[in-house]
Amino acid sequence: MQGRAFCLDWNLTWHTENPDFTQCFQNTVLVWIPCIYLWVCFPVYFLYLHCHDRGYIQMSNLNKAKTALGLILWIVCWADLFYSFWERSQAPFFLVRPTVLGITMLLATFLIQYERIKGVQSSGVMTIFWLISLSCATVVFRSKIHALNTGAEVDAFRYVTFCIYFILLFVQLILCCFPERPPLFSETVNDPNPCPEFSASFLSRITFWWITGLMIQGYRRPLEAKDLWSLNKEDKSEEIVPSLARNWAKEWAKTKRQPLDMLYLPKKQQKSSDSNGDVTEEAEALIIKPSQKSSEASLFKVLYKTFGPYFLMSFLFKAAHDLLMFAGPEILKLLINFVNNKAAPNWQGYFYTVLLFVCACLQTLILHQYFHICFVTGMRLKTAIVGVIYRKALVITNSARKTSTVGEIVNLMSVDAQRFMDLATYINMIWSAPLQVILALYLLWQNLGPSVLAGVAVMILLVPINAVMAMKTKTYQVAQMKSKDNRIKLMNEILNGIKVLKLYAWELAFREKVLEIRQKELKVLKKSAYLAAMATFTWVCAPFLVALSTFAVYVTIDKNNILDAQKAFVSLALFNILRFPLNMLPMVISSIVEASVSLKRLRVFLSHEELDPESIIRGPITEGEFLFLLKISVKAELCALYFSINFTVPEGSLVAVVGQVGCGKSSLLSALLGEMDKKEGYVVVKGSVAYVPQQAWVQNATLEDNIIFGREMNESRYKRVIEACALLPDIEILPTGDKTEIGEKGVNLSGGQKQRVSLARAVYCNADVYLFDDPLSAVDAHVGKHIFEKVIGPKGILKNKTRVLVTHAINYLPQMDSILVMCDGEISEMGSYQELLKQDGAFAEFLRTYANAEQSMENNGNPTGKEGKPIENGVLVNEVPGKLMHRQLSNSSTYSRDTGKSQHQSSTGELQKPLAEKNSWKLTEADTAKTGRVKATVYWDYMKAIGLFISFLSILLFMCNHIASLASNYWLSLWTDDPVINGTQQYTNVRLGVYGALGISQGIAVFGYSMVVSIGGIFASRHLHLNLLHNVLRSPMSFFERTPSGNLVNRFSKEIDTIDSTIPPIIKMFMGSTFNVIGACIIILLATPIAAVIIPPLGLVYLFVQRFYVATSRQLKRLESVSRSPVYSHFNETLLGVSVIRAFEEQKRFIKQNDMKVDENQKAYYPSIVANRWLAVRLEYVGNCIVLFAALFAVMARNKLSAGLVGLSVSYSLQITAYLNWLVRMSSELETNIVAVERVKEYAEMEKEAEWSIEQTAPASTWPEEGKVEFRGYGLRYREDLDLVLKNINVTINGGEKIGIVGRTGAGKSSLTLGLFRINEAAEGEIIIDGINIAKIGLHDLRFKITIIPQDPILFSGSLRMNLDPFDQHSDEDIWRSLELAHLKNFVSSLPDKLNHECAEGGENLSVGQRQLVCLARALLRKSKILVLDEATAAVDLETDKLIQSTIKSQFEECTVLTIAHRLNTIMDYTRVLVLDRGEVVECGSPDHLLQEKGIFYSMAKDSGLV
């Protein structure tokens, strides 16, 4: 085998102008490489294909051609072999070569067919095989041609067969680039918009070319949801979730087996008293715990089982990429040696250049395949986790539900699933970062020896510094979040109570409060900005400091250590590689810690107990006499209540369940639904069940969908149900009838309407058993009666069904078939109404309690109570018996008022108002997502907000920094070119000193610009927030009615937060990468000016690709975030209505809905991942071209160039790809985030109300002295396009008069006061107070002088004192006096903090009546000449009302009082009464006079029983 030695002859191959391989090498190694590759891949690939069957592909011409060529190749090889036999050739390789090749070609042909059978449309393995074979053959081919040229003798037969072989390989490679047709019976056939990924060819897939179609579409017009492809089958919920669920179930079953026998040990004490009950629970818990600890179901194992195999591929890619990363610096070393060695043949330089380019390209392709796998795994993980959580939430027991709030479970879905997604991309860094560090250090050691340790020491020192900064930043973030939460809470209140602020002219006081909180927030922001500047400083200067310390140590240790180009620039390149893993490690570790926390939370949630489906026996309907048979002992989850209950319900009967609050009525129904933990006994329910819960559950869907609830539509039945449930009048009011979209949790329905919808859903589904949990409590009395008669009662729709009704309403009890009376979880009595009355037991007692309450309510409550304001009379405050009253009154008259309204309103334009508002409300919601590019003016606005001086200063500092950085590296290249004399370089110290000085100046510039940008950012956010706040407060009332408060709060939280903390760092990075790219180009141009030909065209390509990408990516991001919220809101809804879903047995449908929503979201997410990869591959190719040309021109000009310059330009070009990538990411981030500035500025252009105060026309401080109000031809409209709400009103009210204003709903009473306060400006005519036209003076001047006690008493969170006197104008005595007059003194004195008593948000911790009194106290404090009362006494019981009236009479004796009244008895002793109808004054005069006229006023008085 001595032939092996001369198989490589260096003189022939390397040290020559014309390189070639030996014959032996050509015939052995070059033949074996492709063969070995294919045989190694074969077993793995064969198994993979065997497991992943995509269906069968029919024979096509393409396939026939490939197979035929494969067979011809095989024949060519055998021909060669037979020729060798015939020739009796001595060399063994002439026999071995054709044999090996022939067998390999057969294998290739077999694989082509096998792939077709398994449905592979384009194969990577084969493409790579043909590529390797062709490149090996090309080398041989060249040497054969070379032999012909030099005239050496050639074996004609072998020459011909080789040419045929070469051409066939070439054709095979070309054919491999085309994909096959799709397999038969695949899903893509019936998919309207399939994902092109699997039908794309191998080349298209590794370069992500297949998404280009979507990119072009997105560039032409903004993408819409219908343009997105459907998901691949492997990424869909129905594929992923079940496999994870199966694996988890297996794992869980393994760990559950052991503790199961121990669960039911302590059974003896079952019937013991309460205290022992607790002991039992303790005992159980103790026994279960220890055994569970030993084996917890490992969620990690399960996730690994489910996603591991696919994810393992990424390991291989990552390892390959890491190794290729170090090829760059090594080739750079060879290049510099080549430039130094003038004797080396030219082709070597070109060879290195090509090698550099090929390595860079391979690196790009491999890296992005790796990222693609990681992101797809992350996406699948999220899908799986969301699906599994959703499925679990539907089967979890109620006691387990109590351990985690709805918010927490939704967080599991959003935050924790997101963390896994992020981790999937990072997790490989755990082994890859140390690997990169070790490799880099090894190569550096080889290069510079021990002085590397100095550089490493600097790096290691910087790690803890960065860690400390990160910790500090976190604490600052927490503090900032706290201020932010406070600010948003206050803003929320301001927006909710904006009407009161405007009426009282309190905007300025509240603006100060917000700004005070904002000031704190900015202080913290400033601190974190200083920190960020430090962090940027370390991060930017680290590579330089490392290089400086290493070189300094290297040069000073030993005089003979020479810093030449090779050492300096290769080391720089390696240090740049080293920077990344060192910075990544802390991030990866924290990300892993976060993910492990999430993993634990998920495991706990997934290990919760599940409901036992066997706990109720659901039998089919047989003609039996009973429908329920319940013999059961149930443990309630909250306290150790043990029900032990036996009862049967005959078929078709109506059973009432009554009892005191908290005696277990609802729990009884839960037990029938199987929602409780059953201890013993059995429950039999025959037939299907429908359930109406106590708190109505409404989905965010149309009204019709809510009622039909997944059943098929049956018009006549639907109509009947709606009528029976009294929903017709409500449907008439809704803007689009029963097709109206109902908001989350039914926000646009009143409580009573929700309850009726919930009832209609149950009635529509036509079940056999109906369970009603107190559905009548939320509706008014007359509606309740209607529902009972038409639906539940003996004559209702459901008269033949079995009905169980939990109720508090005694008036229906006589009509029941039987009544169950419950007491402390036991059934104390049972029988019909008459029987129970005779027994005179608990039931009779119950009746007495409730009857009294009902009576007192009838006498006392004057039912004008508005919705949501419980009347405060003695009975109601007494909670225990009065649960029902509370409910009935609190939602009093949703039904009656609404229907009443629609009769009167027809003309006033109020009817159109809700419609118009409805539509405009929809419009404002939609316009928030803008499309298209961000205008340049937005950037200019932001610069102005920072301040132009600071903006330009920061740009200048950026320039300084990059000039210093370029200069230091250029200086380094000059240093390395210093001639070597006697084995040493001169001027070493000068060189080192200047290098250090340049580095330090660079550091100072970095710190400077970092500080300037951060501080500028804070200026900008202060300025923008101030403007936004001021503009919003200056907006007229109509703006707040039109804009959903969510939109406004969003501006104040999300957008301001973006401006605070996201934009400045992005600007820093954006500027940094821009200058880096420019700097790299400048250096390349310095070294090789000819590059000027190449860089501009590449720059254009780059810009084109980037613009192309940003258009699509921006829209995909929008679509993704738009489709994300339905997932969460649907989940939220499900959690709230889980018992209803289970009762109706709709779990399958809801799971399917959730899967669809998740898939919709991933449909937008998947293209955005691929678009990122698409962009990155394209850009890195632009970068790789720059590397190619930099190296190429350096080789071409090798005689003119010094080694130092070559090293400089190539090492810069090696970094340029990373910079380009970063630049695009930053510019698109900047564009996405700068939108915040645009959205904040949006409100600056809105219409404003009149000036707050006008110097010239400001009235005297004593005005109004008399309080005389004149309306002259006054008219008012709400919006330009609507009719007048008030027309030609001419009234003169003298000072000190008491005027009552009455009229039916919608007559324009409130509009009159709005006009008086100029909440709406006059459309015609004018109002004159004491001779001054109020339209001419500032709003605050006007509103400070008039006082109103508004309709809904709104308080703000803060002290009581702040609520009475926000400007601190009055002394404590004044405040106490006003409280005394408002009859609040006793209450306030009894509070621990007295005047500093903190009111909750909206004054929740005071009753409605007390809030109303606080508003009275405000009015008493201001003591102005004109007082307006707007239905102020509607929410107060009669006692308090009398007090208020007497206070007003005595305290405001010489003031003008205007009262809008609903209760006429309050105004019977007023001087005059104005009666309004349809916006005009129809009657005016003293009450007695008007009663004699027998007009409108008389009829109203008659209605209220005053006449």
Side-chain angles (χ1 to χ4, degrees), residues 1207-1325:
L1208 186 65
S1209 88
V1210 176
S1211 68
Y1212 258 97
S1213 70
L1214 280 177
Q1215 286 178 55
I1216 206 165
T1217 41
Y1219 290 145
L1220 283 177
N1221 241 333
W1222 200 229
L1223 181 61
V1224 166
R1225 288 212 356 228
M1226 284 304 118
S1227 56
S1228 60
E1229 284 278 290
L1230 186 61
E1231 203 166 315
T1232 331
N1233 284 306
I1234 202 85
V1235 174
V1237 178
E1238 186 174 29
R1239 292 178 61 161
V1240 167
K1241 292 294 264 190
E1242 232 176 14
Y1243 286 139
E1245 277 87 65
M1246 293 288 175
E1247 46 168 348
K1248 301 280 171 288
E1249 47 182 10
E1251 285 298 318
W1252 277 343
S1253 53
I1254 305 172
E1255 290 288 310
Q1256 297 80 17
T1257 59
S1261 59
T1262 52
W1263 174 90
E1265 278 158 19
E1266 186 185 354
K1268 177 179 175 190
V1269 182
E1270 294 180 66
F1271 291 89
R1272 299 187 182 167
Y1274 188 72
L1276 177 77
R1277 58 161 58 100
Y1278 280 116
R1279 286 223 313 268
E1280 302 298 304
D1281 46 353
L1282 297 177
D1283 298 347
L1284 288 172
V1285 195
L1286 295 175
K1287 15 193 190 305
N1288 54 24
I1289 291 187
N1290 290 298
V1291 181
T1292 303
I1293 298 167
N1294 295 316
E1297 273 196 298
K1298 309 282 177 280
I1299 304 280
I1301 303 173
V1302 295
R1304 306 238 183 247
T1305 311
K1309 305 188 294 286
S1310 299
S1311 311
L1312 201 59
T1313 57
L1314 294 183
L1316 192 56
F1317 281 89
R1318 282 177 60 198
I1319 294 291
N1320 289 40
E1321 298 289 348
E1324 53 189 44

Side-chain angles (χ1 to χ4, degrees), residues 122-137:
S122 173
S123 147
V125 173
M126 295 310 292
T127 311
I128 293 173
F129 169 68
W130 295 123
L131 185 66
I132 295 176
S133 305
L134 188 67
S135 32
C136 287

